[in-house]
Amino acid sequence: MRLASAGLLAVAAALLASCATPQRDYRPDALTMMKRDFHARGIAKMDRLDEDNVQAVCNKYRDDPPQGVADKLQKEQLAAIKWPADGKLLGDWKAGERIAQNGRGMMWSDKSGDGGSCYNCHQIGPRESSFGTIGPSLYQFAKLRGYGADIQRYAYGKIYNAKAYSLCSQMPRFGHVGALTEQQMKDLTALLMDPASPVNQ
Amino acid sequence: MHQTRRTVTMGLLAVLGAALLGPARALAAWNKGAFEAKSAPDAMRALGVSNAEESKAIEIRAPEIAENGAVVPIDITSNIPSTTSISVFIEKNPFPYTGTFDFSQGSVPYVHLRVKIGESSPVRVVAAAGGKYYTSAKEVKVTIGGCGG
Amino acid sequence: MAEPMKIRATLQGDVADVRVLMAHPMETGQRKDAAGKLVPLHFIQTITAQLNGKTVFSADVSQAVSRNPVFAFKVKGAKAGDKLSITWQDNTGDKRTDEVVIRAGS
Amino acid sequence: MKRALVLGTLAVACAAAAQTPDPTAAEFDKFREIMEQDNPAELFEVKGEELWRARRGPKNASLEQCDLGLGPGVVKGAYAQMPRYFADADRVMDAEARIVHCMMTLQGFTYAELSKQPFSSLTRTPEPVSLVTYVAAQSRGMKLAAPQNHPKERATYETGKSIFFYRAGSFDFSCASCHGVDGQRIRTQPLPNFTKPEQAIRAVQGWPGYRMTGGVMHSLQWRMNDCFRQQRFPEPGYASETVSALLTYLTVNANGQVYRGPGIKR
């Protein structure tokens, strides 16, 4: 009798404990562990483990930050975009296609930024059937949205810094982190925007 | 007793048969000329294959789209009576002739193999049976894959 | 040095279903190593299978066969307990023979 | 009657088609089975077993006294019950981390030697890779049951989960960027959602795996390393707690599902 009730109490206590303990945040443990266990290799230095202000907010809110927080940061990211000094946003779509196909860049096995990895996540040109689906289809990008200056600017800006438009987007900030050069981003913009690009056929 | 004798006789017949059909291919040297040919027709010429007749009796089982061109599985069965060998040509490979499988000395005309295919290509099979050649082909597409796995 | 093959030979009626895995790099002569040097051609050229010492299947193959080759074929007139051996030889003259006992089918 | 049958068959066929909207993936699956039937991974299983029994290292000992969590020398079923907490190391270890630990403690190898080139190349398969292939094969057909009894096992799961969702690096990627949503793919490669139990099995299934690309044997240690590479992170230490923690999160999510043994990967 006594034993049984002691057992019950123990169970109740355990239940209480599990309910009452607020979900502990293990992110600090994770970061401590990673900083101890990782090492720099090639171009991938240890500072890559540190969150910047955008990553910190997205991590904290699991990619769903409060509107106000997101708006403020998005504005900052947008303001930091360096637009081409010559005012031209369109390069060579053929070069853009090559950059879109190239999945290399910024890995410890790479020397620098290199490709845009675009086909990893997006459908783009009609002739490449091996495309990913993490991002939306970009096939007929300008044909559907228009060829105007505002759309050009959006395309270039999105490639430069996707977080300026959607704070916790899964798309990298190619210009912001220096993974692609201005010319490469112009070429990619042309791939999406040039009326002669197969994307718009 | 009966059984043994029959086996011996059949064995003898097989040997005789092989001798009659010309030199057993297994004894021939690895055909360097055919293996180094840069096109399937050239390779076939080097092998002495001519007038191959299209045949539905050769079954080729291979993926329509290969997950990885480095390892493409192929199953080949010849339903042509008295098939003695099967040769495989991956037409778009730099050296199309991939191999010959000889069944004449005691195996069923079936083989499973895995091959490298550099780009989308027909896989052509030539079966030798009764001194004649039969052929069939199947297209295998090779695509760029993902990064994971 | 050649490493052992893994051979399975299972009876289905009087036909032995033979499946073999071979450890071999099957170098095409077109691949570059880490230092950018071409790795020389190195591949299996001939394969023979013997049932109780008598050749029953043979093949000549090229470097287009995948690395660590896999083959399957069917040998006629086999019994449980028969010995099946497989030999390969490559273009460098290296060779390897392994043998299994044919198992009754399930 | 016959017509009903035909209609029934059609209905089934359509249902199947609806479930696999991607014909490419269906084609891959069909031939994946054929590939699994004769898997060169078996060559490494055999080599791993030889290595397990051989007296090696400065201490000239075999690994037959290695405790994989079910007692010294018990290999059967051990892989399906890892990662787990090991008191002698006071940490949670995945199978390969444990094998490395045994090679150090029983055979006298050093971590520096074992971690120098820990992953397979075209010309070399490291011994722990063959060993873990052998060990994994001894859990073929068993249900995954990575334990969550010890407090450190539970804490390690939570830490692993946090690592899984941690976005950082040049491209702002976390593991979840690719593996946190249903039904996506990179190029033609389907991306399982590892946060869901029925898909988490795909993090474990088929590993260690014979990789068709390059024709080499790779373990989960390699897989995690290569994910971090593509995540644009710096490199995690071989057999480190970070890797074990991530594997704990993935394996526990897949607990209860049947492990089919070493596999074959694209």
Side-chain angles (χ1 to χ4, degrees), chain D residues 75-99:
Chain D
V75 182
K76 195 128 199 100
Y79 187 85
Q81 296 178 54
M82 281 192 274
R84 68 160 61 229
Y85 175 76
F86 290 91
D88 57 4
D90 191 30
R91 60 165 271 205
V92 169
M93 290 172 153
D94 60 276
E96 191 166 343
R98 187 60 185 173
I99 287 166

PDB file of all heavy atoms in Angstrom, chain D residues 75-99:
ATOM      1  N   VAL D  75      28.172  -7.984 -31.384  1.00  0.00           N
ATOM      2  CA  VAL D  75      28.039  -7.151 -32.577  1.00  0.00           C
ATOM      3  C   VAL D  75      26.603  -7.188 -33.090  1.00  0.00           C
ATOM      4  O   VAL D  75      26.062  -6.196 -33.569  1.00  0.00           O
ATOM      5  CB  VAL D  75      29.020  -7.624 -33.682  1.00  0.00           C
ATOM      6  CG1 VAL D  75      28.919  -6.729 -34.907  1.00  0.00           C
ATOM      7  CG2 VAL D  75      30.446  -7.631 -33.148  1.00  0.00           C
ATOM      8  N   LYS D  76      25.988  -8.364 -32.953  1.00  0.00           N
ATOM      9  CA  LYS D  76      24.631  -8.531 -33.474  1.00  0.00           C
ATOM     10  C   LYS D  76      23.679  -7.511 -32.853  1.00  0.00           C
ATOM     11  O   LYS D  76      23.550  -7.424 -31.640  1.00  0.00           O
ATOM     12  CB  LYS D  76      24.142  -9.951 -33.176  1.00  0.00           C
ATOM     13  CG  LYS D  76      22.927 -10.331 -33.969  1.00  0.00           C
ATOM     14  CD  LYS D  76      23.136 -11.669 -34.710  1.00  0.00           C
ATOM     15  CE  LYS D  76      22.147 -11.828 -35.830  1.00  0.00           C
ATOM     16  NZ  LYS D  76      22.691 -11.521 -37.148  1.00  0.00           N
ATOM     17  N   GLY D  77      23.043  -6.717 -33.691  1.00  0.00           N
ATOM     18  CA  GLY D  77      22.028  -5.783 -33.203  1.00  0.00           C
ATOM     19  C   GLY D  77      22.574  -4.480 -32.630  1.00  0.00           C
ATOM     20  O   GLY D  77      21.810  -3.582 -32.297  1.00  0.00           O
ATOM     21  N   ALA D  78      23.902  -4.378 -32.499  1.00  0.00           N
ATOM     22  CA  ALA D  78      24.474  -3.199 -31.839  1.00  0.00           C
ATOM     23  C   ALA D  78      24.267  -1.927 -32.663  1.00  0.00           C
ATOM     24  O   ALA D  78      23.944  -0.869 -32.121  1.00  0.00           O
ATOM     25  CB  ALA D  78      25.958  -3.425 -31.565  1.00  0.00           C
ATOM     26  N   TYR D  79      24.439  -2.043 -33.983  1.00  0.00           N
ATOM     27  CA  TYR D  79      24.354  -0.851 -34.835  1.00  0.00           C
ATOM     28  C   TYR D  79      22.972  -0.211 -34.750  1.00  0.00           C
ATOM     29  O   TYR D  79      22.847   1.013 -34.735  1.00  0.00           O
ATOM     30  CB  TYR D  79      24.673  -1.230 -36.282  1.00  0.00           C
ATOM     31  CG  TYR D  79      24.791  -0.055 -37.237  1.00  0.00           C
ATOM     32  CD1 TYR D  79      25.986   0.629 -37.377  1.00  0.00           C
ATOM     33  CD2 TYR D  79      23.696   0.355 -38.015  1.00  0.00           C
ATOM     34  CE1 TYR D  79      26.109   1.703 -38.265  1.00  0.00           C
ATOM     35  CE2 TYR D  79      23.814   1.429 -38.899  1.00  0.00           C
ATOM     36  CZ  TYR D  79      25.020   2.090 -39.022  1.00  0.00           C
ATOM     37  OH  TYR D  79      25.134   3.149 -39.903  1.00  0.00           O
ATOM     38  N   ALA D  80      21.933  -1.060 -34.682  1.00  0.00           N
ATOM     39  CA  ALA D  80      20.560  -0.539 -34.640  1.00  0.00           C
ATOM     40  C   ALA D  80      20.269   0.162 -33.316  1.00  0.00           C
ATOM     41  O   ALA D  80      19.265   0.855 -33.197  1.00  0.00           O
ATOM     42  CB  ALA D  80      19.564  -1.669 -34.870  1.00  0.00           C
ATOM     43  N   GLN D  81      21.152  -0.027 -32.328  1.00  0.00           N
ATOM     44  CA  GLN D  81      20.921   0.597 -31.021  1.00  0.00           C
ATOM     45  C   GLN D  81      21.965   1.660 -30.711  1.00  0.00           C
ATOM     46  O   GLN D  81      22.334   1.891 -29.562  1.00  0.00           O
ATOM     47  CB  GLN D  81      20.894  -0.482 -29.942  1.00  0.00           C
ATOM     48  CG  GLN D  81      19.728  -1.443 -30.140  1.00  0.00           C
ATOM     49  CD  GLN D  81      19.726  -2.541 -29.101  1.00  0.00           C
ATOM     50  OE1 GLN D  81      19.756  -2.275 -27.905  1.00  0.00           O
ATOM     51  NE2 GLN D  81      19.700  -3.781 -29.558  1.00  0.00           N
ATOM     52  N   MET D  82      22.476   2.263 -31.748  1.00  0.00           N
ATOM     53  CA  MET D  82      23.399   3.388 -31.605  1.00  0.00           C
ATOM     54  C   MET D  82      22.863   4.532 -32.451  1.00  0.00           C
ATOM     55  O   MET D  82      22.136   4.286 -33.402  1.00  0.00           O
ATOM     56  CB  MET D  82      24.805   2.978 -32.035  1.00  0.00           C
ATOM     57  CG  MET D  82      25.530   2.170 -30.956  1.00  0.00           C
ATOM     58  SD  MET D  82      27.295   1.991 -31.311  1.00  0.00           S
ATOM     59  CE  MET D  82      27.271   0.556 -32.367  1.00  0.00           C
ATOM     60  N   PRO D  83      23.233   5.771 -32.123  1.00  0.00           N
ATOM     61  CA  PRO D  83      24.143   6.225 -31.067  1.00  0.00           C
ATOM     62  C   PRO D  83      23.583   5.946 -29.659  1.00  0.00           C
ATOM     63  O   PRO D  83      22.377   5.915 -29.476  1.00  0.00           O
ATOM     64  CB  PRO D  83      24.235   7.734 -31.307  1.00  0.00           C
ATOM     65  CG  PRO D  83      23.763   7.947 -32.719  1.00  0.00           C
ATOM     66  CD  PRO D  83      22.779   6.864 -32.984  1.00  0.00           C
ATOM     67  N   ARG D  84      24.483   5.760 -28.724  1.00  0.00           N
ATOM     68  CA  ARG D  84      24.092   5.575 -27.333  1.00  0.00           C
ATOM     69  C   ARG D  84      25.185   6.123 -26.418  1.00  0.00           C
ATOM     70  O   ARG D  84      26.290   6.412 -26.857  1.00  0.00           O
ATOM     71  CB  ARG D  84      23.842   4.100 -27.031  1.00  0.00           C
ATOM     72  CG  ARG D  84      25.095   3.239 -27.075  1.00  0.00           C
ATOM     73  CD  ARG D  84      24.897   1.942 -26.307  1.00  0.00           C
ATOM     74  NE  ARG D  84      23.826   1.113 -26.828  1.00  0.00           N
ATOM     75  CZ  ARG D  84      22.872   0.579 -26.062  1.00  0.00           C
ATOM     76  NH1 ARG D  84      22.856   0.817 -24.766  1.00  0.00           N
ATOM     77  NH2 ARG D  84      21.959  -0.192 -26.590  1.00  0.00           N
ATOM     78  N   TYR D  85      24.826   6.241 -25.127  1.00  0.00           N
ATOM     79  CA  TYR D  85      25.773   6.766 -24.151  1.00  0.00           C
ATOM     80  C   TYR D  85      26.732   5.668 -23.708  1.00  0.00           C
ATOM     81  O   TYR D  85      26.312   4.541 -23.433  1.00  0.00           O
ATOM     82  CB  TYR D  85      25.021   7.313 -22.935  1.00  0.00           C
ATOM     83  CG  TYR D  85      25.926   7.758 -21.817  1.00  0.00           C
ATOM     84  CD1 TYR D  85      26.633   8.968 -21.905  1.00  0.00           C
ATOM     85  CD2 TYR D  85      26.096   6.980 -20.674  1.00  0.00           C
ATOM     86  CE1 TYR D  85      27.479   9.375 -20.888  1.00  0.00           C
ATOM     87  CE2 TYR D  85      26.943   7.383 -19.649  1.00  0.00           C
ATOM     88  CZ  TYR D  85      27.641   8.580 -19.763  1.00  0.00           C
ATOM     89  OH  TYR D  85      28.484   8.978 -18.757  1.00  0.00           O
ATOM     90  N   PHE D  86      28.024   5.981 -23.670  1.00  0.00           N
ATOM     91  CA  PHE D  86      29.035   5.056 -23.175  1.00  0.00           C
ATOM     92  C   PHE D  86      29.721   5.682 -21.969  1.00  0.00           C
ATOM     93  O   PHE D  86      30.349   6.738 -22.077  1.00  0.00           O
ATOM     94  CB  PHE D  86      30.069   4.749 -24.270  1.00  0.00           C
ATOM     95  CG  PHE D  86      29.504   3.918 -25.389  1.00  0.00           C
ATOM     96  CD1 PHE D  86      28.941   4.525 -26.508  1.00  0.00           C
ATOM     97  CD2 PHE D  86      29.516   2.523 -25.318  1.00  0.00           C
ATOM     98  CE1 PHE D  86      28.408   3.764 -27.543  1.00  0.00           C
ATOM     99  CE2 PHE D  86      28.980   1.759 -26.350  1.00  0.00           C
ATOM    100  CZ  PHE D  86      28.427   2.375 -27.460  1.00  0.00           C
ATOM    101  N   ALA D  87      29.580   5.007 -20.818  1.00  0.00           N
ATOM    102  CA  ALA D  87      30.109   5.559 -19.566  1.00  0.00           C
ATOM    103  C   ALA D  87      31.626   5.712 -19.630  1.00  0.00           C
ATOM    104  O   ALA D  87      32.175   6.693 -19.117  1.00  0.00           O
ATOM    105  CB  ALA D  87      29.710   4.659 -18.392  1.00  0.00           C
ATOM    106  N   ASP D  88      32.320   4.751 -20.303  1.00  0.00           N
ATOM    107  CA  ASP D  88      33.789   4.818 -20.305  1.00  0.00           C
ATOM    108  C   ASP D  88      34.315   6.035 -21.075  1.00  0.00           C
ATOM    109  O   ASP D  88      35.455   6.454 -20.885  1.00  0.00           O
ATOM    110  CB  ASP D  88      34.409   3.516 -20.836  1.00  0.00           C
ATOM    111  CG  ASP D  88      33.929   3.156 -22.239  1.00  0.00           C
ATOM    112  OD1 ASP D  88      33.177   3.955 -22.844  1.00  0.00           O
ATOM    113  OD2 ASP D  88      34.305   2.079 -22.733  1.00  0.00           O
ATOM    114  N   ALA D  89      33.487   6.587 -21.941  1.00  0.00           N
ATOM    115  CA  ALA D  89      33.905   7.780 -22.680  1.00  0.00           C
ATOM    116  C   ALA D  89      33.117   9.001 -22.207  1.00  0.00           C
ATOM    117  O   ALA D  89      33.404  10.124 -22.598  1.00  0.00           O
ATOM    118  CB  ALA D  89      33.698   7.579 -24.171  1.00  0.00           C
ATOM    119  N   ASP D  90      32.129   8.757 -21.385  1.00  0.00           N
ATOM    120  CA  ASP D  90      31.217   9.778 -20.873  1.00  0.00           C
ATOM    121  C   ASP D  90      30.645  10.660 -21.984  1.00  0.00           C
ATOM    122  O   ASP D  90      30.598  11.877 -21.890  1.00  0.00           O
ATOM    123  CB  ASP D  90      31.890  10.655 -19.803  1.00  0.00           C
ATOM    124  CG  ASP D  90      30.855  11.545 -19.089  1.00  0.00           C
ATOM    125  OD1 ASP D  90      29.683  11.111 -18.990  1.00  0.00           O
ATOM    126  OD2 ASP D  90      31.206  12.664 -18.657  1.00  0.00           O
ATOM    127  N   ARG D  91      30.239  10.021 -23.048  1.00  0.00           N
ATOM    128  CA  ARG D  91      29.561  10.771 -24.110  1.00  0.00           C
ATOM    129  C   ARG D  91      28.728   9.811 -24.967  1.00  0.00           C
ATOM    130  O   ARG D  91      28.905   8.581 -24.888  1.00  0.00           O
ATOM    131  CB  ARG D  91      30.551  11.521 -25.008  1.00  0.00           C
ATOM    132  CG  ARG D  91      31.555  10.629 -25.713  1.00  0.00           C
ATOM    133  CD  ARG D  91      32.272  11.358 -26.857  1.00  0.00           C
ATOM    134  NE  ARG D  91      31.519  11.213 -28.104  1.00  0.00           N
ATOM    135  CZ  ARG D  91      32.080  11.302 -29.323  1.00  0.00           C
ATOM    136  NH1 ARG D  91      33.366  11.561 -29.448  1.00  0.00           N
ATOM    137  NH2 ARG D  91      31.362  11.144 -30.409  1.00  0.00           N
ATOM    138  N   VAL D  92      27.862  10.377 -25.744  1.00  0.00           N
ATOM    139  CA  VAL D  92      27.088   9.591 -26.699  1.00  0.00           C
ATOM    140  C   VAL D  92      27.958   9.381 -27.938  1.00  0.00           C
ATOM    141  O   VAL D  92      28.633  10.303 -28.396  1.00  0.00           O
ATOM    142  CB  VAL D  92      25.777  10.321 -27.067  1.00  0.00           C
ATOM    143  CG1 VAL D  92      25.086   9.663 -28.254  1.00  0.00           C
ATOM    144  CG2 VAL D  92      24.843  10.352 -25.858  1.00  0.00           C
ATOM    145  N   MET D  93      27.974   8.142 -28.443  1.00  0.00           N
ATOM    146  CA  MET D  93      28.769   7.826 -29.629  1.00  0.00           C
ATOM    147  C   MET D  93      27.926   7.105 -30.669  1.00  0.00           C
ATOM    148  O   MET D  93      27.132   6.219 -30.338  1.00  0.00           O
ATOM    149  CB  MET D  93      29.933   6.910 -29.246  1.00  0.00           C
ATOM    150  CG  MET D  93      30.997   7.599 -28.415  1.00  0.00           C
ATOM    151  SD  MET D  93      32.202   6.397 -27.832  1.00  0.00           S
ATOM    152  CE  MET D  93      33.632   7.460 -27.671  1.00  0.00           C
ATOM    153  N   ASP D  94      28.156   7.480 -31.911  1.00  0.00           N
ATOM    154  CA  ASP D  94      27.575   6.712 -33.008  1.00  0.00           C
ATOM    155  C   ASP D  94      28.504   5.527 -33.283  1.00  0.00           C
ATOM    156  O   ASP D  94      29.591   5.427 -32.702  1.00  0.00           O
ATOM    157  CB  ASP D  94      27.424   7.597 -34.249  1.00  0.00           C
ATOM    158  CG  ASP D  94      28.750   8.149 -34.714  1.00  0.00           C
ATOM    159  OD1 ASP D  94      29.183   9.182 -34.164  1.00  0.00           O
ATOM    160  OD2 ASP D  94      29.377   7.538 -35.598  1.00  0.00           O
ATOM    161  N   ALA D  95      28.074   4.625 -34.156  1.00  0.00           N
ATOM    162  CA  ALA D  95      28.804   3.368 -34.339  1.00  0.00           C
ATOM    163  C   ALA D  95      30.265   3.590 -34.723  1.00  0.00           C
ATOM    164  O   ALA D  95      31.173   2.975 -34.163  1.00  0.00           O
ATOM    165  CB  ALA D  95      28.103   2.511 -35.398  1.00  0.00           C
ATOM    166  N   GLU D  96      30.491   4.487 -35.677  1.00  0.00           N
ATOM    167  CA  GLU D  96      31.869   4.662 -36.136  1.00  0.00           C
ATOM    168  C   GLU D  96      32.729   5.335 -35.067  1.00  0.00           C
ATOM    169  O   GLU D  96      33.899   4.976 -34.888  1.00  0.00           O
ATOM    170  CB  GLU D  96      31.907   5.467 -37.447  1.00  0.00           C
ATOM    171  CG  GLU D  96      33.280   5.448 -38.099  1.00  0.00           C
ATOM    172  CD  GLU D  96      33.257   5.939 -39.548  1.00  0.00           C
ATOM    173  OE1 GLU D  96      32.165   5.997 -40.144  1.00  0.00           O
ATOM    174  OE2 GLU D  96      34.336   6.256 -40.066  1.00  0.00           O
ATOM    175  N   ALA D  97      32.132   6.300 -34.350  1.00  0.00           N
ATOM    176  CA  ALA D  97      32.867   6.942 -33.258  1.00  0.00           C
ATOM    177  C   ALA D  97      33.268   5.886 -32.223  1.00  0.00           C
ATOM    178  O   ALA D  97      34.377   5.914 -31.677  1.00  0.00           O
ATOM    179  CB  ALA D  97      32.017   8.034 -32.612  1.00  0.00           C
ATOM    180  N   ARG D  98      32.354   4.926 -31.991  1.00  0.00           N
ATOM    181  CA  ARG D  98      32.652   3.876 -31.010  1.00  0.00           C
ATOM    182  C   ARG D  98      33.762   2.950 -31.512  1.00  0.00           C
ATOM    183  O   ARG D  98      34.633   2.528 -30.751  1.00  0.00           O
ATOM    184  CB  ARG D  98      31.372   3.071 -30.722  1.00  0.00           C
ATOM    185  CG  ARG D  98      31.528   2.067 -29.597  1.00  0.00           C
ATOM    186  CD  ARG D  98      31.909   2.766 -28.303  1.00  0.00           C
ATOM    187  NE  ARG D  98      32.183   1.813 -27.221  1.00  0.00           N
ATOM    188  CZ  ARG D  98      32.666   2.186 -26.032  1.00  0.00           C
ATOM    189  NH1 ARG D  98      32.912   3.460 -25.778  1.00  0.00           N
ATOM    190  NH2 ARG D  98      32.899   1.284 -25.096  1.00  0.00           N
ATOM    191  N   ILE D  99      33.722   2.619 -32.784  1.00  0.00           N
ATOM    192  CA  ILE D  99      34.759   1.755 -33.356  1.00  0.00           C
ATOM    193  C   ILE D  99      36.117   2.448 -33.251  1.00  0.00           C
ATOM    194  O   ILE D  99      37.122   1.833 -32.876  1.00  0.00           O
ATOM    195  CB  ILE D  99      34.404   1.391 -34.813  1.00  0.00           C
ATOM    196  CG1 ILE D  99      33.253   0.372 -34.817  1.00  0.00           C
ATOM    197  CG2 ILE D  99      35.618   0.830 -35.563  1.00  0.00           C
ATOM    198  CD1 ILE D  99      32.593   0.176 -36.174  1.00  0.00           C
TER     199      ILE D  99
END
